[in-house]
Amino acid sequence: MITKKHPSKTALSFFSLLYLKIFFFEMGMAKNSTSIIPVNVGVVLDLDNDLDGKIGLSCINMSLSDFYDTHGDYKTRLVLITRDSKHDVAGAAAAALDLIKNVEVQAIIGPTTSKQANFVIELGEKAQVAVISFSASSPSLTSVRSPFFFRATQNDSTQVKAISALVQAFGWREAVPIYIDNEYGEGVIPYLTDALQAVDARVPYRSVISPSATDDQIVSELYKLMTMQTRVFIVHMFPSLGSRVFAKAKEIGMVSEGYVWIMTDGLTAAFSSSPNASVTSTMQGTLGVKPYVPRTKDLETFRILWKRKFQQDNPDIVDAELNIFGLWAYDAATALALAVEKAGTANLGFQKANDSSNSSTDLATLGVSLNGPNLVQALSNITFKGLTGDYLFDNGQLQSSAFQIINVNGNGGREIGFWTSTKGIVKTLNSANNMTASSGSNSDLSTIIWPGDTTSVPKGWEIPTNGKKLRIGVPVKNGFSEFVKVTRDPSSNTKTVTGYSIDVFDSVVKALPYALPYEYIPFAKPDGETAGTYNDLIYQVYLKNFDAVVGDTTIVFNRSQYVDFTLPYTESGVSMIVPIVDSNSKNAWVFLRPLTWDLWVTSFCFFIFIGFVIWVLEHRINEDFRGPALHQAGTSFWFSFSTMVFAQREIVVSNLSRAVVIIWCFVVLILTQSYTASLTSLLTVQQLRPTVTDVHELIKKGAYVGYQEGSFVLGILLDLGFDESKLIVYNSTEQCDDFLSKGSGNGGIAAAFDEVPYMRLFLSNYCSKYAMIDPTFKTDGFGFAFPKGSPLVPDVSRAVLNMTEGDKMKEIENAWFGNQSNCPDSSTSVTSNSLSLKSFWGLFLIAGVASLLALIIFVFMFVYKERKMSRLLNSRISIRNKVGNFFRIFIQRDLKSHTFRKCGLNDSKGTSLPSMGPSASSVQTTYFPGDGDQSSTELVDYRPDRQTSQEVVINIDQLTNPYQERLAAFEVEHDHN
């Protein structure tokens, strides 16, 4: 049998269990609620008809709800007290004052604008209440330097480097900012200008548009921009005004090919987060930068939840999109909740102000938050991962993030790259290719579709659309008209400008890839005379009286401070022209001029030395070099000097002599040939030399020198030390020739100083009379002058470079200056034909070394051959006597030589002499005094033809007796035949 339960009992037990759960849950909640401490936080935003304010407030509420859902154990709960600032600075200040004084809030989130924030920050610092703004981005707030102010948004100044990097990447030289006329717009302009100048980009004009400007006023300002050359515009204003500006720019054709529009983060974030087809259609092809927010799963989930919640709370607002300010508001509320919990709740009260002064103002009775310093300290140390990425404050400023670069196409923005403070412009983030800094070029970006639906990069400037021609200033001068000449037609009162510089500029403009209308305007007074110097003409470009200067204008430093020059189209430098004279005197002693004195002396000494060497090597074995001393000396020197004409009759028999003579004859051959060539040149060729070769010589002598009228060369001459009274001005090549012909001191000049192009022109007419002397003072040549930062300079410079490398420039030079190849180069005639020792010291070195080597070899051979005689000499005989004995042997014939053994002796005429047999000589005994009547033997030559003979008598007993001092006796017999 089965027992059945009663249904009423089952229901009773279920409800009893449910009741117990509810009871215990409520008891737990009651217990937990008693430990939660509410903390008042004020919110001051523009909520009246302001979408951003409502989005911010919605995100703050959702942030606290999400935060406490995940941090239920926290003891503090932020209680928001909201005030509407009503788009007014006073309204924001009144709301903040009410919250601090009456509600005693611990912190304030807001206000919306930077202008409102200024006063609210002052109130917060006075009451020590933290102020956190997620939308006040003006750099001007940085100067406040209040420890109670936290900017939970990016400073507008952080984006200017990203914008300047774009300008640099595409090579644009100028950019015009278009900004709103309020604190938000003006705050970033100084930083933007500095950033552009850092990349060599100018800001020629600033376009300021009032927040309340009408459409007609906007169009008028845009038309003004159309009349300028610059086509790069940077727009920084509120989205409401920005949409109107782009709409009008689109109407008048400024969002078309050739134009560049760059939006700052305020506009970029607004239009990319909530695209409107009617708005984005007016800004197709524009670029924009905005803070980069990583796309995470949490962020996408929050977007969906926020959109649902916002539409529930604001059913009258359709298609609202979450923007970057809403994300910053969300993270700011989270940071404040974390900081309040961390700071504690020990001192949440306010210390009342001392009102003994009975002041009636609210500021005088404003209390001071006791927990304010602790909360500021906690906020400064907060770090967490928010919806916008890593979240932390650095000196009250939210850490800077990367910037995303977008290109507006279709109905939204397309990501084309990023910019970071460390890597610059990159195509992607967190890529292995981005470990190092980028090249900073536009190749680091994805393909960009520019205004006009083109992918061709705009050059950033255009010729003004109002048809205005460039006003080109040209100098007016009397002389050197080959460069620039202004001709006036009296009948029509028109002026024609011609010249080398004019033709060069005309050719350069034709080579540009676009049309450039211009007109030449002479820099002259009404009477046709010049209106000033070249410096004055250049300065007119700086004053915007001329758009450029074309002529023979030299590129110098002081002028480059006011204008930008193109690359030079002529030679550079300042040189000196002096008269030249024939240096050949054609006198009786001209034959000495081919060689310098040191070469003459060296050659003479070597002739003597070679003669001596030949005598040493030949006199013992060659009868041609024997005889009396004077005869031997004469023969030796005759032999040496006769090698000059190779007329020597004596025959050398020693191999050492032959080697020396061969080398010496080679040296003599080189010397004589060089001498002959130099002397021929001196006697037949005109030798031109300058009258002056040194600038300092002119200064020392106080000579008169000349320079061209109006030239900057005057400053160079004065710097060199010339007396101004010694400087004479000329204004034409004819006048310069006249002054140089007269000479210094006769109403003329000793030298003329001018730039190389003028000197080349002068020499083309007078090359036979004058020469250009180095050194040349360095300058950069002639160039065309344009205003500072002009975008025409790079294009014109490239065209000039292309012309100078081709044949066109040569054609223009020949047309104006003629063919200068017929004129010899003056530098070739200003030379010396005297030959110096520097050119021949190598030959003399070889001859000298060979001669010395031959002498050394001969000495060693001689000593070695006569070594037996040295053994016979007593060791006690003095060195002097030994040397004398060797010398007596040295001056005798070497009878053992093959020249005597082979064919006997011949005199100088070739006659055979008697042979040296036993009958020709006899042995004779000679007694030395004091030798104990010891005899010694001596060989005596009795040949009748002998002119000089020597006898060496050696006492054999004396050499062998160790106990008795012996003196060697030397007898010299002279046989006179």
Side-chain angles (χ1 to χ4, degrees):
M1 179 176 165
I2 299 174
T3 306
K4 227 184 218 186
K5 291 186 180 179
H6 199 279
S8 60
K9 293 182 179 179
T10 304
L12 180 61
S13 61
F14 172 77
F15 285 109
S16 298
L17 181 60
L18 180 61
Y19 173 76
L20 290 174
K21 287 183 179 181
I22 293 174
F23 174 76
F24 286 115
F25 177 77
E26 291 180 349
M27 290 294 293
M29 289 296 292
K31 181 179 181 180
N32 190 38
S33 63
T34 58
S35 61
I36 293 176
I37 302 174
V39 178
N40 293 332
V41 172
V43 178
V44 179
L45 298 173
D46 293 333
L47 300 176
D48 185 18
N49 296 324
D50 188 272
L51 181 60
D52 289 337
K54 293 179 179 180
I55 292 175
L57 181 59
S58 174
C59 290
I60 292 172
N61 286 322
M62 289 190 67
S63 172
L64 296 181
S65 176
D66 294 342
F67 179 80
Y68 290 121
D69 281 346
T70 57
H71 298 80
D73 57 334
Y74 274 28
K75 297 180 179 180
T76 57
R77 292 292 186 274
L78 298 188
V79 178
L80 300 180
I81 295 91
T82 305
R83 295 290 186 271
D84 184 5
S85 54
K86 300 179 181 179
H87 301 275
D88 184 59
V89 175
L97 183 60
D98 174 60
L99 291 172
I100 294 173
K101 183 177 181 181
N102 300 325
V103 184
E104 294 187 349
V105 294
Q106 298 296 313
I108 294 177
I109 299 177
T112 304
T113 66
S114 300
K115 197 171 184 179
Q116 295 170 348
N118 269 321
F119 194 72
V120 174
I121 293 171
E122 295 292 336
L123 290 175
E125 184 169 16
K126 184 175 181 61
Q128 296 191 5
V129 172
V131 177
I132 307 172
S133 177
F134 58 84
S135 57
S137 57
S138 175
S140 62
L141 296 178
T142 306
S143 61
V144 176
R145 302 185 185 279
S146 172
F148 292 91
F149 173 59
F150 290 86
R151 178 154 38 195
T153 182
Q154 294 293 333
N155 189 332
D156 281 340
S157 63
T158 60
Q159 64 181 321
V160 297
K161 290 186 177 181
I163 296 173
S164 64
L166 280 174
V167 173
Q168 182 184 33
F170 291 100
W172 298 319
R173 299 296 302 277
E174 290 184 346
V176 172
I178 306 175
Y179 58 96
I180 189 171
D181 188 13
N182 61 12
E183 188 174 3
Y184 171 75
E186 295 172 351
V188 75
I189 296 304
Y191 298 90
L192 178 61
T193 303
D194 291 343
L196 290 173
Q197 290 177 349
V199 296
D200 294 329
R202 290 179 61 246
V203 178
Y205 179 73
R206 300 180 183 184
S207 178
V208 185
I209 298 179
S210 172
S212 58
T214 63
D215 289 348
D216 291 340
Q217 291 173 332
I218 294 176
V219 170
S220 176
E221 182 65 22
L222 292 176
Y223 271 125
K224 184 186 297 184
L225 296 178
M226 289 183 68
T227 62
M228 302 178 184
Q229 290 185 350
T230 308
R231 290 295 180 264
V232 180
F233 305 113
I234 302 172
V235 185
H236 178 67
M237 55 186 59
F238 293 148
S240 57
L241 181 59
S243 61
R244 295 173 57 205
V245 169
F246 276 106
K248 294 304 175 184
K250 178 72 173 179
E251 287 181 11
I252 65 176
M254 291 185 68
V255 188
S256 58
E257 186 174 358
Y259 286 87
V260 178
W261 294 86
I262 302 176
M263 300 181 293
T264 58
D265 62 349
L267 284 172
T268 307
F271 294 144
S272 60
S273 61
S274 56
N276 187 312
S278 62
V279 175
T280 56
S281 63
T282 64
M283 55 179 62
Q284 293 295 299
T286 62
L287 301 179
V289 296
K290 66 176 183 178
Y292 171 65
V293 177
R295 301 186 66 174
T296 61
K297 185 177 180 180
D298 291 341
L299 178 59
E300 296 304 319
T301 301
F302 175 73
R303 286 184 185 276
I304 296 173
L305 296 176
W306 174 85
K307 192 171 185 66
R308 185 186 307 158
K309 180 75 166 67
F310 189 81
Q311 288 181 348
Q312 291 175 358
D313 297 340
N314 303 276
D316 55 332
I317 300 178
V318 182
D319 295 332
E321 293 292 337
L322 182 63
N323 57 29
I324 185 65
F325 296 106
L327 298 179
W328 280 329
Y330 184 96
D331 287 343
T334 302
L336 184 57
L338 286 170
V340 167
E341 181 70 21
K342 186 177 181 180
T345 57
N347 298 306
L348 293 181
F350 272 65
Q351 180 180 354
K352 299 298 182 181
N354 185 7
D355 56 354
S356 58
S357 60
N358 297 323
S359 175
S360 59
T361 63
D362 290 333
L363 293 177
T365 59
L366 197 64
V368 176
S369 174
L370 300 176
N371 198 42
N374 295 333
L375 183 57
V376 167
Q377 183 66 28
L379 272 171
S380 300
N381 297 325
I382 285 296
T383 301
F384 65 95
K385 189 78 171 180
L387 291 178
T388 57
D390 294 330
Y391 197 93
L392 61 101
F393 288 105
D394 183 11
N395 291 326
Q397 171 64 56
L398 184 64
Q399 177 182 318
S400 178
S401 63
F403 281 89
Q404 185 180 18
I405 304 173
I406 69 162
N407 180 210
V408 178
N409 296 127
N411 195 31
R414 178 174 57 90
E415 177 186 292
I416 59 173
F418 300 88
W419 179 88
T420 66
S421 59
T422 56
K423 301 182 180 67
I425 295 177
V426 293
K427 188 171 294 186
T428 58
L429 290 176
N430 303 322
S431 171
N433 297 329
N434 297 332
M435 296 302 292
T436 59
S438 70
S439 62
S441 66
N442 54 46
S443 61
D444 295 313
L445 296 170
S446 299
T447 302
I448 300 174
I449 301 177
W450 300 96
D453 197 25
T454 179
T455 56
S456 299
V457 178
K459 63 175 178 284
W461 66 276
E462 293 288 347
I463 301 301
T465 58
N466 59 358
K468 176 185 174 183
K469 294 181 178 180
L470 291 180
R471 293 167 52 86
I472 307 295
V474 294
V476 175
K477 56 195 306 183
N478 296 324
F480 295 94
S481 58
E482 289 85 353
F483 291 95
V484 178
K485 182 178 182 180
V486 179
T487 305
R488 181 177 175 272
D489 185 359
S491 60
S492 60
N493 199 27
T494 59
K495 297 179 180 178
T496 304
V497 183
T498 58
Y500 168 74
S501 299
I502 302 302
D503 283 357
V504 171
F505 185 76
D506 290 341
S507 300
V508 165
V509 172
K510 291 178 182 178
L512 294 177
Y514 46 82
L516 184 66
Y518 61 93
E519 60 180 342
Y520 293 118
I521 302 176
F523 184 54
K525 298 177 182 178
D527 58 359
E529 294 296 322
T530 180
T533 64
Y534 277 74
N535 289 338
D536 298 332
L537 174 59
I538 294 295
Y539 195 65
Q540 298 303 308
V541 178
Y542 178 76
L543 297 177
K544 300 187 184 304
N545 294 328
F546 289 136
D547 297 317
V549 167
V550 170
D552 48 346
T553 51
T554 307
I555 304 171
V556 291
F557 170 74
N558 64 324
R559 295 174 181 173
S560 66
Q561 294 178 314
Y562 301 97
V563 296
D564 280 346
F565 284 98
T566 63
L567 290 176
Y569 60 90
T570 62
E571 295 179 82
S572 62
V574 173
S575 192
M576 177 174 69
I577 291 290
V578 297
I580 52 177
V581 295
D582 187 4
S583 61
N584 283 343
S585 57
K586 304 292 192 309
N587 56 25
W589 302 101
V590 69
F591 68 91
L592 295 177
R593 288 186 56 191
L595 305 183
T596 57
W597 68 268
D598 57 344
L599 186 55
W600 279 115
V601 172
T602 304
S603 300
F604 178 79
C605 292
F606 259 83
F607 276 113
I608 301 296
F609 175 67
I610 293 299
F612 169 74
V613 171
I614 297 301
W615 175 81
V616 170
L617 299 176
E618 292 289 325
H619 81 284
R620 298 192 75 234
I621 60 175
N622 192 338
E623 275 299 319
D624 288 338
F625 292 89
R626 296 202 59 79
L630 290 178
H631 175 75
Q632 294 186 35
T635 302
S636 301
F637 296 144
W638 154 258
F639 177 86
S640 175
F641 281 96
S642 64
T643 57
M644 286 191 296
V645 292
F646 303 100
Q648 68 274 14
R649 295 180 304 163
E650 292 76 11
I651 300 175
V652 292
V653 297
S654 171
N655 288 333
L656 294 176
S657 300
R658 291 169 179 171
V660 171
V661 170
I662 289 174
I663 295 175
W664 177 242
C665 285
F666 175 74
V667 174
V668 171
L669 177 64
I670 299 298
L671 276 175
T672 55
Q673 295 295 325
S674 301
Y675 175 86
T676 302
S678 180
L679 182 61
T680 302
S681 175
L682 285 171
L683 295 176
T684 59
V685 179
Q686 187 180 26
Q687 301 295 310
L688 301 177
R689 65 175 180 83
T691 55
V692 180
T693 58
D694 188 5
V695 175
H696 299 287
E697 182 181 349
L698 293 170
I699 301 174
K700 184 177 180 180
K701 292 181 178 180
Y704 287 88
V705 297
Y707 68 95
Q708 187 182 167
E709 183 179 10
S711 174
F712 70 96
V713 175
L714 172 62
I716 294 179
L717 296 178
L718 294 177
D719 291 340
L720 286 174
F722 281 99
D723 188 347
E724 191 169 2
S725 63
K726 300 293 183 180
L727 303 180
I728 297 178
V729 178
Y730 61 85
N731 53 25
S732 66
T733 56
E734 294 79 9
Q735 189 176 15
C736 181
D737 172 53
D738 181 53
F739 285 150
L740 286 170
S741 300
K742 293 179 180 178
S744 180
N746 299 317
I749 57 178
F753 290 84
D754 215 332
E755 296 171 79
V756 172
Y758 298 122
M759 295 291 94
R760 295 290 185 194
L761 175 62
F762 179 79
L763 289 178
S764 67
N765 299 323
Y766 305 101
C767 60
S768 62
K769 300 171 60 178
Y770 307 102
M772 187 185 304
I773 304 300
D774 290 335
T776 299
F777 303 97
K778 185 66 177 176
T779 61
D780 287 331
F782 295 163
F784 306 125
F786 288 88
K788 275 285 189 181
S790 172
L792 283 171
V793 173
D795 291 343
V796 174
S797 295
R798 280 189 288 269
V800 168
L801 189 61
N802 186 39
M803 278 191 58
T804 54
E805 293 176 352
D807 297 331
K808 184 63 177 178
M809 187 68 76
K810 192 66 177 177
E811 294 176 6
I812 298 175
E813 289 178 356
N814 292 337
W816 285 101
F817 307 135
N819 190 355
Q820 299 182 16
S821 60
N822 297 328
C823 236
D825 188 359
S826 60
S827 62
T828 60
S829 60
V830 186
T831 56
S832 174
N833 291 92
S834 296
L835 303 175
S836 67
L837 181 60
K838 293 180 180 179
S839 304
F840 299 96
W841 70 269
L843 291 174
F844 287 115
L845 178 64
I846 294 174
V849 171
S851 301
L852 289 175
L853 185 61
L855 287 177
I856 293 172
I857 294 174
F858 172 81
V859 170
F860 274 104
M861 293 175 62
F862 173 75
V863 172
Y864 179 78
K865 188 175 181 181
E866 303 297 333
R867 66 187 183 283
K868 293 182 179 180
M869 179 61 68
S870 64
R871 294 197 191 103
L872 294 176
L873 295 176
N874 193 321
S875 61
R876 291 195 172 188
I877 296 177
S878 66
I879 299 296
R880 179 180 178 182
N881 291 334
K882 290 182 179 180
V883 172
N885 186 43
F886 269 106
F887 179 74
R888 287 182 175 85
I889 298 174
F890 170 74
I891 63 176
Q892 288 183 351
R893 290 186 180 90
D894 184 5
L895 300 179
K896 297 180 181 180
S897 171
H898 69 282
T899 57
F900 294 124
R901 292 199 310 267
K902 185 175 181 180
C903 57
L905 295 176
N906 295 327
D907 60 13
S908 60
K909 298 180 180 180
T911 305
S912 298
L913 297 175
S915 61
M916 293 292 296
S919 62
S921 59
S922 64
V923 178
Q924 144 180 346
T925 304
T926 304
Y927 292 93
F928 289 96
D931 287 342
D933 299 331
Q934 305 272 343
S935 63
S936 61
T937 304
E938 144 181 293
L939 180 64
V940 180
D941 189 359
Y942 291 109
R943 286 175 300 166
D945 61 317
R946 179 178 177 186
Q947 295 180 6
T948 302
S949 61
Q950 301 179 19
E951 296 182 34
V952 180
V953 182
I954 304 173
N955 193 328
I956 305 300
D957 293 338
Q958 181 182 1
L959 294 175
T960 57
N961 190 349
Y963 300 105
Q964 186 177 4
E965 293 185 1
R966 304 291 184 178
L967 297 176
F970 302 91
E971 296 182 357
V972 179
E973 290 183 1
H974 300 278
D975 294 337
H976 302 283
N977 297 326

